[in-house]
Amino acid sequence: MNARLHRWLAWLPSASLAFAAGTLAAQPADFSLADDGARVTRLTESIYVIEHDDATDEWPHGNTGVIVGRSGVFVIDSCYLPSRARADIALIRRITDKPVRFLVTTHWHFDHNNGAVAYREAFPDVTLIAERNTARWLELNQQYWRRLSTAPDSARRGSLATLESELALGAGADGVPFGDAERTRRESIVARRRQELQELESLEIVVPARLFDDRISLDLDGVRIEIEDRGPANSPNDTTVWLPRERILFAGDILVRSPLPYVGASW
């Protein structure tokens, strides 16, 4: 085992426990906020996590962190589809009427950043933050994924066409007719896939303007926020957001719950 890997293995459990400690610390029993695709968990009086249902049967939405200061809001990651980011903004507005002042992206995978355009539309003065290499990869990856997914002969369009054909016939490739539950499930899958392609076709790429190397610290109305590049994990440069006073860590995809452990496309 090399020294770098040993340091990672030593660090990961503490990261997990730090997040769990924040989650279990002070959740008011009467707090409840959700919509039909997400649930909000309050970690402290001013810190929240938005946990999302998957965008489609193939792709998830990364979860989103929300830190509310006296004059503004700090958000961590912005989901896969702009429509979900807009729904998150609606949830945030049910928590506070303060504007989102900062949006940080933990890494360049599109399920954590395609929704940035929704925050720029809702809050024109928002500052988008990312590690320098992450920002470069983010722009390239969004262009690549949009073109790959929406090309007329793309595998994603072909797969959707097959699903639509089977739904119209009322039976799968095996010829077995759908029951009511299976038909409903497939109708939902097709609707979500269509919505995904529509949004990817018109996706506006928003590149972070505030870039950093290694680490930066911010003060959000007295809340100290430490943003650090942890190097290669689920991407070449994975960023964590640590709140030292509250002892809460937002780890992006360095820690993934489903499946656990997650090792796909990772170091």
Side-chain angles (χ1 to χ4, degrees):
M1 181 184 298
N2 63 44
R4 182 176 178 82
L5 178 58
H6 186 271
R7 286 197 300 273
W8 269 105
L9 292 176
W11 176 79
L12 279 172
S14 64
S16 177
L17 289 173
F19 185 83
T23 305
L24 298 174
Q27 270 191 66
D30 60 348
F31 180 82
S32 178
L33 182 58
D35 60 24
D36 60 0
R39 295 146 303 285
V40 182
T41 299
R42 178 185 280 175
L43 306 183
T44 72
E45 288 299 321
S46 61
I47 302 170
Y48 304 80
V49 173
I50 306 176
E51 296 183 85
H52 304 108
D53 295 339
D54 289 344
T56 72
D57 58 308
E58 296 182 314
W59 289 106
H61 287 297
N63 294 326
T64 294
V66 179
I67 305 167
V68 180
R70 290 190 299 273
S71 63
V73 180
F74 183 102
V75 172
I76 303 156
D77 284 340
S78 58
C79 301
Y80 175 42
L81 297 177
S83 59
R84 180 61 254 176
R86 294 186 187 100
D88 283 357
I89 290 168
L91 289 173
I92 292 169
R93 282 176 164 154
R94 290 168 64 184
I95 295 171
T96 178
D97 60 0
K98 300 176 179 66
V100 174
R101 291 171 50 200
F102 300 98
L103 169 63
V104 66
T105 296
T106 58
H107 62 295
W108 60 262
H109 294 160
F110 42 75
D111 55 315
H112 292 255
N113 51 62
N114 277 358
V117 62
Y119 286 88
R120 174 58 54 81
E121 290 169 350
F123 308 100
D125 295 328
V126 65
T127 297
L128 274 63
I129 303 172
E131 188 275 334
R132 191 174 306 278
N133 290 326
T134 291
R136 290 197 289 262
W137 280 106
L138 185 156
E139 182 176 16
L140 177 65
N141 192 53
Q142 287 189 351
Q143 291 174 348
Y144 159 79
W145 185 248
R146 180 178 63 189
R147 293 172 184 172
L148 179 71
S149 299
T150 64
D153 60 348
S154 72
R156 301 182 73 72
R157 288 196 184 278
S159 176
L160 175 58
T162 298
L163 290 172
E164 291 172 329
S165 176
E166 291 177 351
L167 187 59
L169 291 171
D174 56 6
V176 178
F178 300 146
D180 290 343
E182 180 63 12
R183 174 175 289 278
T184 298
R185 186 184 75 86
R186 286 178 174 253
E187 286 174 345
S188 175
I189 289 173
V190 166
R192 288 174 180 266
R193 295 263 201 111
R194 287 172 177 168
Q195 177 71 22
E196 174 194 30
L197 283 174
Q198 283 182 340
E199 294 198 49
L200 292 177
E201 280 181 319
S202 60
L203 180 66
E204 181 181 345
I205 298 170
V206 179
V207 181
R210 183 166 181 178
L211 309 182
F212 70 93
D213 300 289
D214 298 328
R215 61 179 62 84
I216 58 172
S217 294
L218 298 177
D219 185 297
L220 182 72
D221 303 320
V223 178
R224 185 180 169 196
I225 301 173
E226 297 181 356
I227 308 168
E228 183 172 353
D229 170 26
R230 299 285 182 173
N234 189 230
S235 79
N237 298 88
D238 279 58
T239 292
T240 60
V241 178
W242 169 241
L243 310 180
R245 186 180 66 186
E246 295 81 3
R247 299 193 59 75
I248 294 173
L249 180 82
F250 292 92
D253 277 357
I254 292 175
L255 291 172
V256 175
R257 182 171 58 193
S258 178
L260 178 67
Y262 181 77
V263 295
S266 298
W267 280 258

